[in-house]
Amino acid sequence: LDVTEEKFVSDTLAGCTEYKSLLDVVVNAFYAQDGRYCLISERNIYLVICYLATFQLEELGLQHFSRIVKSLDTAKMQKFLRFFFNNLHLNTWIKDEWSHFYDSLYVKENLIDPLLRWQPKVQQLIEQLTNKLNNFTTNVKTSTVTQPKEFNLTVTKPRAIPLPLPMHLPVLEKRRPVPPSIYKPPKEKKQLEAIKEKNLQEANDLLLKANTNRFRCATMKSEKREVCYKILSCLKIPQGVVPFLPQYLDVVWWSVLRQYFEELQIDNIPIKLNTAAILREGALYQRKMEEELKRVENLQQGAGEPSEFLEWQKLMRGKDLEEQLAEIECRRLQGKLSHEEAVLARQNVIQENKKKGDLLREEKAELMHQHAEKRLQEQKEMKELAEQVMEGHKNVKQVKKKLQEYKQQIAQRVNEESGELLRQALEDEEEKAKKRYELIQQIRAIESLPGVRHKFVDLTEIGGHGLFGEMSIVELRERLALLKEAQKAAEEEKRDQIIHEKQAKEQLILEKLDQISQFRAELGRAAALKQEEKKRKSQAGERPVKDERILNLQKKIVEKKMERKKQAGLL
């Protein structure tokens, strides 16, 4: 380019970048309205023409400007100039949009007014372009059709027809016979059916056992029932107190119960002992033996016999037990008495409620009568109001017509606005689809590049990461094998140690069992002797005399029952 042309191009490029925000307003609006079918790649052309018309038209002159316009596509330039030099567009939205970037006074004096001055001359240029479009005739050049020519090739000699080869029919191999196992059912199926039948039989047995022993926890065996009766007879508990036995068991000392259990010969029942029970019983007998040895040593040294104190203690505990049983019986009778009183109070409340119900029914009848009179008066008022409303409905039809016309106008405006919004949304979707297509093309181009697929690994080499204790895979496998061997040796040693400890523990348990059997035999003999002595000394038991408090409470309960029955008869 010449110096002048180069300066003009650089100035134009600088101006387009400087005023890009103003030019984008016009070009974007052109693409949204008249240039919807124009290419996006031609956007820069419209930006340059808009810049020259706005800022350089006076310097260039109309002649140079029209020469630049005519050098481009006639239809596109005619459409863009007609859109840009429209008086309505310049005075309305273009002026308002440019006022967002510059002062409104500056926009009017320096941008809009020059364009309006040049508008008549530019309109002549637009008419020339339209005439050119109307009178444009396309001269189609007729191109000469190429005619093909044959190649000058040497003619080949005809080949001799080969003789047919002798036919060898293929012989099929002998087929193998079908194995007989195909026609037999598999063994696994029979095994599965046998397992199913076995499981079904076990389930039926369990169900039958569960149904037969459903209330087993509620029933008591004959052996346990005899033992319980023996305990009750030894404790001398009266028959009237038996239903409340759980309350009395909280009061009885466990030492007394254990003494009676020791006196009874219940040691004949076979009991299966585990290791913990054997060691625990052995420790108990060892402790008893040590206490007996200590007592004998104390007696040798001159200590007294505590038998008198134990007998006195037993008597006192018996008295305390009788007192506590009497107190429990008093509490039970007091509870019965309070129950009878509560029943009487409830019957009194029922009578009072009946009286209150009668009064409420009378008040309700009066209120219903008043409500009926009030409803009659309201119905008369509603009739009068309905007559007034019917008169007012006659003038409503005209108001409805006016309201319907107003709604139709609003609906038309809304339809126009919604059409414009849909148009803009479609254009945005088209731009997004183009961007997605370009991005997909780039991703496919990247994926089409060849990559290294095979990587050869040497197991004897080190990774080379610069870490302490770094080793190859072969060395790692060797070390793991050594560790496994060491672990197996440690497990063998531990297994031998466990076996020796188990044998020593079994020997200790056998010794404890021998010791326990000896102690049990001795204790059984002592209990039998003690029981025989007690039978000789036992006398006929006297029935305990009831307490005065209990008798008084029973009398009060009888009186309350009689009063309650009378009250029930009245109700």
Side-chain angles (χ1 to χ4, degrees):
L1 295 175
D2 296 337
V3 178
T4 55
E5 291 178 353
E6 187 177 356
K7 184 176 182 302
F8 173 70
V9 170
S10 60
D11 291 343
T12 305
L13 179 61
C16 288
T17 53
E18 183 179 359
Y19 299 105
K20 188 176 184 302
S21 57
L22 297 178
L23 303 177
D24 284 340
V25 171
V26 179
V27 175
N28 291 336
F30 171 69
Y31 271 101
Q33 296 181 13
D34 294 348
R36 282 172 296 184
Y37 303 107
C38 295
L39 298 174
I40 299 295
S41 59
E42 296 173 352
R43 179 185 173 83
N44 292 328
I45 296 172
Y46 299 125
L47 287 172
V48 171
I49 297 298
C50 183
Y51 170 74
L52 294 176
T54 307
F55 297 99
Q56 300 290 330
L57 189 56
E58 291 184 357
E59 295 181 4
L60 284 174
L62 186 63
Q63 188 177 0
H64 289 290
F65 180 72
S66 61
R67 199 187 310 165
I68 292 168
V69 169
K70 287 176 182 178
S71 64
L72 300 171
D73 191 358
T74 307
K76 294 174 183 177
M77 290 297 105
Q78 186 260 351
K79 193 182 292 185
F80 179 72
L81 290 174
R82 187 179 60 191
F83 171 78
F84 182 49
F85 281 93
N86 192 350
N87 286 328
L88 183 63
H89 293 171
L90 289 171
N91 289 318
T92 56
W93 60 268
I94 293 176
K95 181 180 177 182
D96 296 336
E97 291 293 330
W98 284 357
S99 298
H100 292 308
F101 301 101
Y102 296 100
D103 189 20
S104 59
L105 185 63
Y106 173 80
V107 170
K108 185 178 183 304
E109 291 179 355
N110 297 325
L111 300 177
I112 300 298
D113 289 345
L115 289 171
L116 292 173
R117 283 200 308 272
W118 283 99
Q119 198 267 340
K121 294 180 180 180
V122 174
Q123 191 67 33
Q124 294 176 2
L125 177 62
I126 294 168
E127 290 175 359
Q128 291 176 8
L129 294 173
T130 52
N131 293 329
K132 188 177 179 181
L133 284 173
N134 294 329
N135 299 326
F136 184 70
T137 57
T138 56
N139 296 322
V140 181
K141 294 181 180 179
T142 59
S143 59
T144 58
V145 180
T146 56
Q147 295 180 357
K149 292 182 180 180
E150 294 182 359
F151 293 103
N152 190 10
L153 300 174
T154 57
V155 180
T156 58
K157 294 179 180 179
R159 291 183 182 181
I161 299 169
L163 294 172
L165 296 172
M167 297 292 287
H168 293 285
L169 294 173
V171 180
L172 296 174
E173 294 181 358
K174 276 189 176 182
R175 64 181 182 82
R176 294 179 182 178
V178 179
S181 60
I182 289 176
Y183 302 105
K184 293 180 182 179
K187 294 180 181 179
E188 289 80 2
K189 191 173 182 181
K190 292 182 179 179
Q191 291 175 359
L192 287 172
E193 288 177 356
I195 291 166
K196 283 181 181 177
E197 290 177 359
K198 186 180 177 182
N199 292 337
L200 183 63
Q201 187 65 31
E202 289 178 358
N204 289 330
D205 294 341
L206 285 172
L207 180 62
L208 182 62
K209 189 176 179 181
N211 289 331
T212 53
N213 299 331
R214 187 183 299 174
F215 303 106
R216 185 181 176 186
C217 59
T219 58
M220 188 183 291
K221 293 182 180 179
S222 59
E223 298 174 358
K224 292 184 180 179
R225 192 181 293 112
E226 291 175 2
V227 172
C228 289
Y229 287 150
K230 286 180 182 179
I231 292 166
L232 293 172
S233 64
C234 292
L235 292 174
K236 297 179 181 180
I237 296 173
Q239 293 181 358
V241 183
V242 172
F244 307 97
L245 185 61
Q247 299 175 8
Y248 296 119
L249 287 177
D250 295 337
V251 182
V252 177
W253 294 282
W254 290 105
S255 60
V256 177
L257 286 174
R258 189 168 64 183
Q259 186 177 357
Y260 282 114
F261 279 120
E262 288 176 358
E263 290 175 358
L264 296 172
Q265 295 181 358
I266 311 173
D267 294 333
N268 296 326
I269 299 169
I271 298 169
K272 188 177 179 181
L273 298 176
N274 55 7
T275 305
I278 291 166
L279 295 173
R280 195 162 49 242
E281 195 168 355
L284 176 65
Y285 290 141
Q286 186 71 25
R287 191 166 58 252
K288 282 185 177 181
M289 189 172 66
E290 290 174 359
E291 289 176 357
E292 188 66 22
L293 290 172
K294 191 174 181 181
R295 188 177 69 81
V296 171
E297 287 177 2
N298 290 334
L299 288 172
Q300 287 176 356
Q301 291 175 4
E305 183 69 23
S307 59
E308 295 179 359
F309 172 74
L310 291 174
E311 289 179 1
W312 174 80
Q313 190 180 25
K314 189 176 178 181
L315 288 172
M316 296 303 292
R317 284 177 178 174
K319 289 180 181 179
D320 292 340
L321 179 62
E322 289 176 359
E323 290 177 1
Q324 288 178 359
L325 292 175
E327 286 180 2
I328 291 168
E329 184 68 19
C330 288
R331 288 175 195 161
R332 187 179 69 81
L333 294 173
Q334 285 174 0
K336 272 191 174 182
L337 183 62
S338 61
H339 173 69
E340 295 293 335
E341 291 175 353
V343 171
L344 281 172
R346 187 169 178 275
Q347 290 175 354
N348 294 329
V349 170
I350 289 168
Q351 286 182 356
E352 291 178 359
N353 288 338
K354 280 186 176 181
K355 292 177 181 178
K356 289 180 181 178
D358 295 336
L359 292 173
L360 287 172
R361 287 190 198 95
E362 292 175 359
E363 292 177 358
K364 188 177 180 182
E366 291 178 0
L367 289 172
M368 289 295 290
H369 182 66
Q370 293 176 2
H371 182 67
E373 292 178 354
K374 190 175 181 181
R375 285 295 298 274
L376 288 171
Q377 188 176 359
E378 287 178 356
Q379 285 178 1
K380 290 179 182 179
E381 292 177 355
M382 288 297 291
K383 283 182 181 179
E384 293 176 357
L385 184 62
E387 291 175 357
Q388 294 175 2
V389 170
M390 289 298 292
E391 291 177 358
H393 276 309
K394 295 177 182 178
N395 299 324
V396 172
K397 290 183 180 180
Q398 296 178 357
V399 177
K400 281 186 177 179
K401 285 182 181 179
K402 291 180 181 178
L403 185 62
Q404 192 173 4
E405 292 175 358
Y406 179 68
K407 286 182 179 178
Q408 287 176 356
Q409 292 176 2
I410 292 170
Q412 288 178 359
R413 292 176 190 171
V414 170
N415 289 330
E416 292 174 358
E417 291 176 358
S418 63
E420 291 179 0
L421 291 172
L422 285 171
R423 204 180 302 116
Q424 290 180 1
L426 288 171
E427 291 172 359
D428 294 339
E429 288 295 328
E430 288 178 358
E431 290 181 1
K432 287 180 182 177
K434 287 179 182 177
K435 289 179 181 178
R436 284 197 209 101
Y437 179 73
E438 292 175 358
L439 185 61
I440 290 165
Q441 292 295 329
Q442 292 175 4
I443 292 167
R444 286 179 179 172
I446 292 166
E447 289 178 351
S448 64
L449 294 174
V452 179
R453 295 185 180 179
H454 300 288
K455 187 176 181 181
F456 299 98
V457 180
D458 189 4
L459 300 177
T460 58
E461 288 184 357
I462 300 170
H465 300 294
L467 301 173
F468 292 109
E470 195 172 6
M471 64 184 77
S472 63
I473 295 173
V474 176
E475 185 180 356
L476 179 64
R477 288 174 181 171
E478 290 176 358
R479 290 194 181 188
L480 286 172
L482 292 172
L483 283 171
K484 285 180 181 178
E485 290 176 0
Q487 191 175 3
K488 282 183 181 179
E491 285 177 358
E492 290 293 333
E493 290 179 3
K494 194 171 183 181
R495 194 176 290 112
D496 295 338
Q497 186 181 358
I498 289 166
I499 290 166
H500 290 311
E501 290 177 357
K502 194 173 182 181
Q503 290 174 356
K505 192 173 182 181
E506 287 176 356
Q507 187 65 30
L508 177 64
I509 288 167
L510 290 172
E511 292 175 359
K512 290 283 183 184
L513 280 172
D514 295 337
Q515 189 178 1
I516 288 165
S517 61
Q518 292 176 6
F519 273 107
R520 280 185 177 177
E522 293 295 331
L523 288 171
R525 292 192 203 100
L529 292 171
K530 197 171 182 181
Q531 188 70 17
E532 288 176 1
E533 289 178 2
K534 189 173 181 181
K535 283 181 180 178
R536 292 194 208 106
K537 294 178 181 178
S538 62
Q539 296 177 0
E542 297 179 359
R543 291 185 179 179
V545 181
K546 288 189 177 180
D547 196 356
E548 292 181 0
R549 292 182 296 170
I550 295 171
L551 295 171
N552 293 330
L553 288 170
Q554 287 177 352
K555 288 178 182 179
K556 286 182 181 179
I557 289 167
V558 172
E559 291 175 0
K560 292 290 181 181
K561 280 184 180 179
M562 295 297 289
E563 189 177 351
R564 179 168 60 81
K565 287 179 181 178
K566 289 178 182 179
Q567 195 75 20
L570 293 173
L571 287 171

